[in-house]
Amino acid sequence: MRKNVVFYVTRQYMKQNKGRTFVTFIGIVFMVILMTGVFIGKDTGIGYLEEIASLKDGKWHVSIYGVTEEMCGEVQSLPYVRETARSKGYGATEFEQSANDERPYLNVKAYEPACFDWMNIHLTEGRLPENEQEIVISRSAIDDGAKIQTGDWIDARFFQRSITGINAEAGGTIFPFFGIELEYGETKAVPESFPYYGENESFRENVEYTGKTGRYQVVGIIEAPSYEDSGAAGYTAVTGLGDDGLQITASSDNSGTKDTCNLTMLLDLEVLPLDYAMELRNIAYGCEMDFNDYVLAFSANASESTLNMVIRYMTVVFVVLIMGASVLLIYNVFNISFQERSRYLGMLCSVGATGRQKRSSIYYESFCLLIFALPTGILGGMGIIRLAMLVFRPLLGMMVGIQEVDRLSPVSVRISWENIAAVILVSVLTVLISAWLPARKIGKIGPIECIRGNVEKKSRQYAMRPSVIRRFGAEGMLAGNMLTRQKRRPRSVAVSAAVFMIILIVTVYGTRTVHEIIDVKIDRASLDIRSEDYDYLLGSCGYSAEYDALKEEILNDPGVEKVSEWGEGMFTGQVPASVYGREYWEAVREIFSLYYHRDVSEEEVRQEDMQYKQVVNILAVPDECLRKIGERAGADVGRLMDTEHPAALVVKEGVISTDTYRISETEPEHYRIFRIENMSDLGPGDEIPLELYDPDQEKNVNMPVEVAGNISEELLSDYVTFGNDNQYVWLLVNADVSRKIARIAGGREGTAGLSPMLFIKQNEEPTDLIGRLEKLNDREDSYFAFARPGYQKDLIGSLAEIADILLGCFVVLTSVICLLNLFNSIRGWRDESRQDIEVLYSVGMTKEQMNRLLLYECLGIFLRAVLLAGVCAGFLYLMIQAGVKTIFGNLRIPFPAAGAALSAALAGVVLVLITILVHRKISF
Amino acid sequence: MEILRCEHLSKIYGSGDTSVRALDDVSFSVEAGEFVSIVGPSGSGKSTLLHILGGVDRPTEGRVMIGGTDIHSLNENKLAVFRRRQIGLIYQFYNLLPVLNVDENIVLPHLLDGRKYDQERLDLVVERMGLTDRRNNLPSQLSGGQQQRVSIGRALYNHPAIILADEPTGNLDRKNGEEIVRLLKQSNRSQKQTLLIITHDESIALQADRMISIEDGHITRDERIRVTGGGM
């Protein structure tokens, strides 16, 4: 005898309906695969990305420079600090074997053993140092011709470098890349990356011996570490760090303090608290600190909290969407088979089965499928993760700008019991939710209703609708009646189609949201001039005589087809606060309120900020281009191009946020971004009292500019785009006006104020111009930068691409669930319509009429699905937008109308195709 | 006048060793306005014969001529049109569309023909079928007898040349069964419609003008009970 007849009957039912059971099983398997992808795939992917990212700067997580013993102890005792290793910078020493006059030193560091691994020290020959008397030297020294090899000895006498201004007439010397301004007679310490200038007229290099000496045997040659600057005066050399090294008290590390060392650590990312960066900063107060964001970003622990938020946000969105799609799939299957199921359960009920037993039948079926789907899905998911990682391996390296992925060990799926448990738990929960509603429904109906199959019958009247018949014929009447009088069957199909649409719409919206978050939260170039038509870009510090000479040379070169000269003047001008408009100041007031954690009044803002002059940026636009832009903006082009009386086109929009408008020594309540529609309230004809700082006269010079018009960023976007940190008013001026500005603000040397950018387009003529410009760019003292224009991949670009790929994979896999769902629903619908079809054929319906009927039915279902999807997607859109706004500030993410239309069209086509396919299968 | 003639009809289901010969060389003809009952044990081929005569199934061999047309020489579309115009089919299990009300089920073949329905005729048919107060109900809201009357109404509405009824009373109680037969006979007499009825019920079979017996796919007996058009 069977122990449980309800379960036996359920099993028999499942066997009888093999097709539907199989499709449901596949759906659950896909759900488990997706869950595995989210939980295990995320860990595997992130782990692998960490490994890839570690190729760039090493696998260390945080480095603190100049920490004391006490600080070290405190940091090491933190529960989330997994491992630490110390290092010291001994300073520079003469490198007699150097063959490069510009690199006469060795910059020597001492590492504890773990640091060699964490800092990506790769041997090219020999071995790593095992004690404090052994040393490895950077390959770059050998490549430059240094006469040294393994086995040689180096005698070191360490010193710190500094420079002293010696030319009273030349005035101060600026080293912009090192943030050093050196006045005559002043002495300043320089970092190890500082170049060697030798004898020169402006300054003198000093060395101060630290008292540490050493004799080291070269035991290996290493690849130049990522932190070695090819322009630095010294090559990198690393020795072992032992107790002796740690006991020295010389001021030899980066912080310049005594009795300190550098502490590098690996963190336990599993237990890392959100505020760990703050805690480390508090412990090592005053110490310089580096976070390896490349590595940390992928485990959602980067010091920049937004990256963490993006990754966590995406994880939650993925899980919720997968659960939603799966719940609907499983629920739909049970709902479709409701009538058939109610018959056999009714029979059981008539012989004494209780409501609980009936419910248990549904749960039994769903968990029968789940028990097999779980291992299948988890194993399948792992296989897919492994496959995907192998396929993506080179791509992932490219994304983070690292090509050396070959160095990494093969991809291994990172399995943890916690993640497996999470997959099982979420899958069980999903199935439980899906089965609960139909189980509850079926548990309530009585045996007679079940057997007669008229559970939902109501004794209402249905009048004939002659108008429908007149307009759409018999097919229209039949379709209308089938959709309105037999709601359950087509409703399942409509719900499935709607879910398909919702998933697509929400994913499109999610993709845009993630992009927007990444876009607004991470600093990008403030200004991007569209340069697709040009091959190279020559940038200069200012409109100097050298620049003019170089420009002339370029213009006359036969290999140059055309050039376009722009000029960028960040912070070049100053204006009264009144030039900035009401909208801007209101946003500033709100930012003040966020920083001061109270409602700040306009008066307070006025007192604190509005009394000061405000910055304006200048953009010098080529005349031909400016004329077109002016026409596009409807500005007074004549005034704009006037060479006598300066006029400017004012860019309307701007963006300020709690990140870009910072108030020191306080933290805002939360991040918020304000998109200003009108940065200035000034209009055509108004005058901007522009002031320019004349460095020669050391005072501001007035240069009033008339507003020739205002232009939106959208109208400008064909020529120039502004970054999301564009918090100042931009003035677009013609070439003559820009020269005038440059003459005042650029000083005698012409090296300040405006920075010209010369875009160069080559022709077919052979020329050595590019080679010469490249050499100029390589010169240490060059004021010019020469490169190919265009987008450079950065961490953010990588993140955006990774997000795209993940969302793409998610869409594909979730679409499979949705398609299975849709297929299942349509099959159920058509299966139940089989008898109707036979009746219709028997009373003389032709195949064309049948096809038309199907199309009408599909159209009705589609319209219903669109309505449902519109309501649900709209609701989800509002929910997501509200959530995103709360977390990330007032991001502007419009509803993806085009994506929604495309999703609807796709769902409609899929609906019709599957219906025709299933109908043909049933009919023939 | 001969309205229906079938010649050497054979129907084989399946192939090879598992093939079943449902009809084997069946030939007969029916005069216009004739009421013919077809009787035989279960599995004798009665329903297969009716389906082939109604054009919903095709014979393996032989042909069916209705009003001079070889219906199985027609393509699917033409056969469908022929079916809805010339043949009224009545089934044991009514075969009504569950989403259509009484009126809609009755006029369905007419509507499929792309024609406007005649409200007066519809009212007349509904009244004759005794369904006036149920015309806005769906089949699921009707009793078996009422459903069968809708099915007859549907078969009669279009004035088909032949009405083919497959066990029309098989699913009904005696009273309802008698009522159905009365309606069919009434139609046969008043409209001069040819009626072929399959039945197990000897009392119904004996009310026909002619009785054809089938066994194992063969016609075993074809006897005239009364002169065509004769009343009981």
Side-chain angles (χ1 to χ4, degrees):
Chain A
M1 286 293 285
R2 305 275 167 195
K3 276 187 180 174
N4 191 323
V5 73
V6 175
F7 293 168
Y8 171 72
V9 172
T10 307
R11 281 199 302 275
Q12 293 304 108
Y13 172 80
M14 287 164 71
K15 280 181 198 166
Q16 267 178 20
N17 294 280
K18 282 192 188 82
R20 185 152 56 222
T21 304
F22 181 70
V23 173
T24 315
F25 175 74
I26 294 293
I28 299 176
V29 167
F30 265 86
M31 174 198 69
V32 180
I33 287 175
L34 277 166
M35 293 296 183
T36 310
V38 169
F39 289 102
I40 297 174
K42 187 183 117 214
D43 264 17
T44 305
I46 283 170
Y48 197 69
L49 281 167
E50 278 171 29
E51 282 185 48
I52 292 176
S54 71
L55 289 174
K56 194 172 178 72
D57 292 326
K59 66 167 77 159
W60 58 277
H61 291 145
V62 182
S63 277
I64 313 175
Y65 303 102
V67 290
T68 61
E69 272 303 308
E70 293 75 40
M71 288 175 182
C72 271
E74 219 174 321
V75 169
Q76 282 163 337
S77 68
L78 291 170
Y80 52 83
V81 174
R82 201 172 73 206
E83 221 177 318
T84 61
R86 288 171 294 184
S87 63
K88 278 190 87 83
Y90 286 165
T93 182
E94 297 285 348
F95 183 37
E96 289 165 5
Q97 293 89 340
S98 174
N100 184 344
D101 292 344
E102 291 177 354
R103 304 189 75 175
Y105 307 137
L106 275 183
N107 290 325
V108 180
K109 295 174 187 302
Y111 282 177
E112 282 191 330
C115 280
F116 287 98
D117 180 29
W118 297 356
M119 295 291 180
N120 268 358
I121 301 296
H122 296 292
L123 278 168
T124 61
E125 62 176 87
R127 61 174 174 80
L128 291 171
E130 289 169 355
N131 56 51
E132 291 171 272
Q133 282 75 48
E134 293 178 344
I135 202 164
V136 285
I137 290 179
S138 169
R139 173 104 235 152
S140 55
I142 312 295
D143 292 343
D144 280 355
K147 294 176 183 61
I148 195 154
Q149 56 188 0
T150 50
D152 288 353
W153 287 84
I154 291 171
D155 289 308
R157 190 177 166 212
F158 294 104
F159 53 80
Q160 293 293 314
R161 297 165 63 207
S162 62
I163 48 173
T164 305
I166 54 171
N167 192 336
E169 288 174 9
T173 310
I174 300 169
F175 300 92
F177 291 109
F178 301 98
I180 298 171
E181 281 186 49
L182 189 68
E183 298 294 330
Y184 169 68
E186 200 179 12
T187 298
K188 283 194 171 165
V190 295
E192 67 177 31
S193 56
F194 195 77
Y196 179 74
Y197 288 98
E199 284 185 20
N200 66 79
E201 290 176 355
S202 302
F203 61 92
R204 181 188 67 233
E205 179 162 331
N206 318 301
V207 293
E208 184 192 345
Y209 288 95
T210 61
K212 174 160 175 70
T213 57
R215 183 171 165 74
Y216 304 95
Q217 185 176 28
V218 179
V219 293
I221 307 297
I222 56 169
E223 283 177 16
S226 62
Y227 53 76
E228 183 180 303
D229 193 330
S230 61
Y235 298 104
T236 302
V238 190
T239 182
L241 179 65
D243 291 340
D244 290 349
L246 284 167
Q247 278 165 12
I248 63 152
T249 56
S251 58
S252 54
D253 49 56
N254 285 10
S255 66
T257 53
K258 294 174 187 282
D259 294 326
T260 59
C261 65
N262 306 328
L263 189 67
T264 302
M265 66 197 83
L266 294 185
L267 303 169
D268 187 348
L269 303 175
E270 299 295 322
V271 296
L272 203 57
L274 283 171
D275 58 348
Y276 78 99
M278 183 78 83
E279 189 171 12
L280 285 175
R281 282 201 176 97
N282 287 340
I283 292 172
Y285 184 75
C287 296
E288 195 186 324
M289 201 176 284
D290 263 357
F291 291 86
N292 194 354
D293 275 352
Y294 253 100
V295 172
L296 289 168
F298 297 112
S299 57
N301 288 302
S303 57
E304 162 60 270
S305 62
T306 309
L307 297 182
N308 307 349
M309 206 73 95
V310 171
I311 291 173
R312 287 186 182 151
Y313 174 81
M314 281 173 66
T315 308
V316 171
V317 168
F318 282 159
V319 170
V320 169
L321 284 177
I322 296 164
M323 278 186 80
S326 307
V327 163
L328 283 162
L329 165 75
I330 303 164
Y331 169 77
N332 231 6
V333 168
F334 289 127
N335 212 28
I336 293 161
S337 56
F338 185 81
Q339 194 133 351
E340 294 167 38
R341 199 183 298 268
S342 66
R343 281 203 186 106
Y344 81 76
L345 287 173
M347 286 167 204
L348 285 174
C349 190
S350 68
V351 292
T354 62
R356 189 178 170 182
Q357 281 173 315
K358 282 189 283 176
R359 284 195 297 277
S360 68
S361 160
I362 305 271
Y363 291 125
Y364 178 75
E365 181 173 340
S366 48
F367 283 98
C368 265
L369 295 173
L370 183 66
I371 210 84
F372 293 105
L374 266 176
T376 314
I378 290 173
L379 289 175
M382 287 179 186
I384 287 174
I385 291 166
R386 191 171 165 73
L387 196 70
M389 293 300 291
L390 285 173
V391 173
F392 290 155
R393 195 178 179 204
L395 195 65
L396 292 171
M398 273 164 61
M399 280 183 187
V400 288
I402 295 165
Q403 310 298 330
E404 305 96 324
V405 283
D406 296 344
R407 275 196 202 148
L408 288 177
S409 52
V411 183
S412 58
V413 179
R414 290 194 180 190
I415 306 162
S416 69
W417 289 114
E418 291 91 337
N419 280 334
I420 300 251
V423 173
I424 294 172
L425 193 74
V426 178
S427 303
V428 169
L429 191 69
T430 307
V431 169
L432 201 66
I433 294 169
S434 322
W436 179 71
L437 264 180
R440 192 167 160 268
K441 200 165 148 189
I442 216 150
K444 282 184 177 174
I445 51 171
I448 299 302
E449 292 161 301
C450 283
I451 294 164
R452 287 174 64 187
N454 57 354
V455 175
E456 290 176 321
K457 301 289 185 300
K458 291 171 189 160
S459 56
R460 59 174 285 197
Q461 302 275 300
Y462 298 90
M464 194 151 80
R465 288 172 291 187
S467 59
V468 175
I469 298 168
R470 271 199 303 278
R471 190 167 297 172
F472 301 105
E475 303 93 316
M477 175 193 74
L478 282 161
N481 290 355
M482 281 175 177
L483 293 175
T484 54
R485 297 178 186 176
Q486 211 170 31
K487 289 177 186 160
R488 196 169 40 78
R489 296 182 201 168
R491 189 170 55 201
S492 301
V493 183
V495 167
S496 306
V499 170
F500 187 48
M501 280 185 242
I502 291 166
I503 292 287
L504 289 177
I505 293 168
V506 171
T507 313
V508 170
Y509 180 65
T511 311
R512 288 180 69 161
T513 307
V514 169
H515 272 261
E516 186 75 4
I517 291 166
I518 290 170
D519 213 35
V520 299
K521 282 294 290 172
I522 311 297
D523 291 340
R524 283 197 180 278
S526 301
L527 183 74
D528 186 15
I529 295 165
R530 302 296 293 267
S531 52
E532 288 86 352
D533 289 346
Y534 294 89
D535 302 318
Y536 292 96
L537 166 65
L538 177 76
S540 169
C541 296
Y543 288 88
S544 59
E546 289 89 341
Y547 168 74
D548 285 338
L550 192 59
K551 182 182 157 190
E552 193 63 26
E553 204 171 320
I554 292 167
L555 284 169
N556 292 329
D557 193 283
V560 173
E561 185 185 318
K562 61 175 180 176
V563 297
S564 173
E565 188 186 47
W566 293 68
E568 180 191 16
M570 299 282 282
F571 315 108
T572 301
Q574 287 188 328
V575 289
S578 58
V579 169
Y580 280 79
R582 169 168 292 278
E583 198 184 339
Y584 173 83
W585 288 113
E586 178 54 27
V588 171
R589 191 191 65 73
E590 289 200 38
I591 287 178
F592 269 72
S593 301
L594 287 168
Y595 268 97
Y596 291 128
H597 300 259
R598 64 182 172 80
D599 194 18
V600 173
S601 70
E602 203 178 323
E603 188 58 34
E604 285 175 281
V605 176
R606 200 180 301 280
Q607 280 174 4
E608 190 145 349
D609 211 24
M610 288 177 76
Q611 56 176 311
Y612 301 112
K613 291 270 168 59
Q614 302 295 317
V615 165
V616 287
N617 295 333
I618 309 287
L619 182 63
V621 184
D623 284 351
E624 195 185 332
C625 211
L626 186 64
R627 191 182 300 278
K628 287 181 190 163
I629 291 171
E631 282 167 3
R632 195 178 270 200
D636 183 346
V637 177
R639 291 287 301 112
L640 189 60
M641 304 313 293
D642 193 334
T643 53
E644 294 300 318
H645 308 287
L649 206 53
V650 180
V651 178
K652 284 182 183 171
E653 295 96 336
V655 180
I656 57 170
S657 72
T658 44
D659 275 2
T660 55
Y661 201 103
R662 295 200 78 87
I663 295 170
S664 57
E665 294 176 10
T666 176
E667 287 291 321
E669 269 174 52
H670 54 79
Y671 173 81
R672 187 147 183 214
I673 186 168
F674 296 85
R675 293 180 183 278
I676 317 285
E677 297 290 336
N678 288 297
M679 289 287 280
S680 173
D681 294 335
L682 298 181
D686 291 338
E687 187 181 276
I688 299 173
L690 179 67
E691 290 179 21
L692 303 165
Y693 180 74
D694 182 341
D696 297 336
Q697 296 184 52
E698 292 187 349
K699 66 171 188 180
N700 277 355
V701 172
N702 291 324
M703 185 182 166
V705 172
E706 190 181 321
V707 177
N710 304 79
I711 185 160
S712 67
E713 285 188 13
E714 194 186 346
L715 288 176
L716 263 177
S717 59
D718 285 346
Y719 301 95
V720 59
T721 53
F722 297 94
N724 275 306
D725 58 348
N726 171 33
Q727 54 178 322
Y728 301 114
V729 166
W730 277 91
L731 302 179
L732 273 54
V733 297
N734 65 40
D736 278 316
V737 173
S738 71
R739 283 286 177 168
K740 274 182 191 161
I741 292 172
R743 271 199 293 277
I744 299 169
R748 199 178 299 120
E749 301 288 327
T751 52
L754 280 176
S755 307
M757 292 174 283
L758 198 66
F759 291 92
I760 304 165
K761 168 83 176 164
Q762 281 186 285
N763 56 26
E764 301 300 316
E765 290 285 324
T767 175
D768 64 344
L769 176 73
I770 303 306
R772 281 187 289 141
L773 287 170
E774 278 171 349
K775 275 185 190 156
L776 177 70
N777 179 60
D778 290 342
R779 265 175 47 194
E780 294 295 340
D781 58 348
S782 175
Y783 280 105
F784 301 103
F786 181 69
R788 281 188 179 274
Y791 174 69
Q792 286 192 329
K793 285 194 177 212
D794 55 8
L795 176 66
I796 305 321
S798 312
L799 270 178
E801 283 189 44
I802 289 166
D804 281 350
I805 289 184
L806 287 177
L807 285 163
C809 293
F810 171 77
V811 169
V812 170
L813 287 172
T814 319
S815 296
V816 172
I817 293 187
C818 293
L819 283 173
L820 285 173
N821 191 10
L822 194 56
F823 177 75
N824 237 352
S825 310
I826 293 172
R827 217 173 61 152
W829 167 46
R830 297 319 301 169
D831 260 345
E832 288 192 16
S833 302
R834 193 193 292 258
Q835 202 184 347
D836 297 351
I837 295 167
E838 283 167 7
V839 173
L840 285 167
Y841 279 136
S842 76
V843 295
M845 181 172 251
T846 62
K847 285 220 159 59
E848 286 77 20
Q849 285 176 315
M850 181 57 76
N851 289 340
R852 210 172 304 137
L853 170 62
L854 275 181
L855 281 178
Y856 280 145
E857 284 187 273
C858 285
L859 182 68
I861 288 171
F862 175 69
L863 290 176
R864 187 181 284 185
V866 167
L867 194 69
L868 191 63
V871 171
C872 293
F875 178 70
L876 282 172
Y877 164 72
L878 293 175
M879 290 270 291
I880 294 173
Q881 199 174 48
V884 168
K885 268 190 179 176
T886 309
I887 300 169
F888 299 107
N890 54 342
L891 295 183
R892 190 174 49 193
I893 309 159
F895 185 77
L902 205 67
S903 307
L906 188 66
V909 170
V910 168
L911 171 68
V912 172
L913 287 180
I914 296 180
T915 304
I916 291 172
L917 198 78
V918 171
H919 174 75
R920 284 193 178 160
K921 205 176 162 193
I922 286 173
S923 302
F924 298 105
Chain B
M1 190 181 77
E2 185 184 84
I3 183 87
L4 181 146
R5 180 155 51 89
C6 53
E7 297 170 353
H8 311 293
L9 282 183
S10 292
K11 179 70 181 177
I12 301 166
Y13 291 109
S15 58
D17 294 343
T18 57
S19 65
V20 175
R21 187 173 280 269
L23 287 180
D24 189 8
D25 196 22
V26 172
S27 300
F28 67 93
S29 65
V30 176
E31 293 295 314
E34 202 173 7
F35 176 9
V36 181
S37 63
I38 300 171
V39 294
S42 294
S44 59
K46 305 187 295 293
S47 292
T48 304
L49 175 64
L50 197 85
H51 287 148
I52 290 172
L53 296 180
V56 291
D57 199 358
R58 286 181 183 274
T60 311
E61 284 169 23
R63 60 179 187 162
V64 177
M65 307 290 290
I66 295 179
T69 306
D70 179 357
I71 63 167
H72 295 295
S73 69
L74 301 174
N75 64 25
E76 285 293 329
N77 265 353
K78 284 184 177 164
L79 184 57
V81 173
F82 184 87
R83 203 158 51 228
R84 69 192 176 206
R85 289 182 184 167
Q86 303 296 335
I87 299 166
L89 271 165
I90 299 163
Y91 296 93
Q92 180 180 356
F93 293 104
Y94 332 126
N95 278 3
L96 299 175
L97 279 180
V99 295
L100 302 186
N101 65 18
V102 169
D103 281 2
E104 290 163 344
N105 263 301
I106 290 174
V107 295
L108 181 62
H110 194 81
L111 294 175
L112 286 173
D113 216 20
R115 287 182 284 167
K116 279 184 187 171
Y117 67 92
D118 179 348
Q119 187 63 48
E120 278 182 31
R121 173 150 180 80
L122 176 61
D123 293 343
L124 186 70
V125 171
V126 170
E127 194 187 332
R128 270 177 61 195
M129 295 301 132
L131 293 165
T132 308
D133 57 341
R134 311 292 284 172
R135 56 195 309 168
N136 285 338
N137 285 91
L138 299 183
S140 57
Q141 296 165 331
L142 303 174
S143 69
Q146 286 169 327
Q147 288 189 58
Q148 194 59 293
R149 277 185 268 155
V150 177
S151 173
I152 293 167
R154 180 176 69 188
L156 297 178
Y157 179 85
N158 241 4
H159 293 298
I162 303 174
I163 292 174
L164 303 171
D166 187 3
E167 302 264 14
T169 60
N171 204 31
L172 302 174
D173 58 34
R174 173 162 288 278
K175 190 181 166 214
N176 270 308
E178 282 172 0
E179 174 62 15
I180 294 300
V181 173
R182 186 189 66 76
L183 285 168
L184 288 171
K185 276 173 68 182
Q186 190 184 42
S187 164
N188 168 246
R189 284 180 192 152
S190 60
Q191 309 290 317
K192 303 288 181 208
Q193 275 175 324
T194 310
L195 176 64
L196 261 80
I197 189 167
I198 286 176
T199 182
H200 271 114
D201 191 330
E202 200 180 337
S203 66
I204 295 171
L206 288 171
Q207 291 180 48
D209 305 324
R210 181 178 158 199
M211 186 165 70
I212 297 172
S213 302
I214 295 184
E215 265 178 59
D216 295 332
H218 296 278
I219 292 179
T220 52
R221 216 167 68 179
D222 185 350
E223 57 182 324
R224 183 157 299 280
I225 300 168
R226 61 182 57 83
V227 178
T228 304
M232 280 183 74

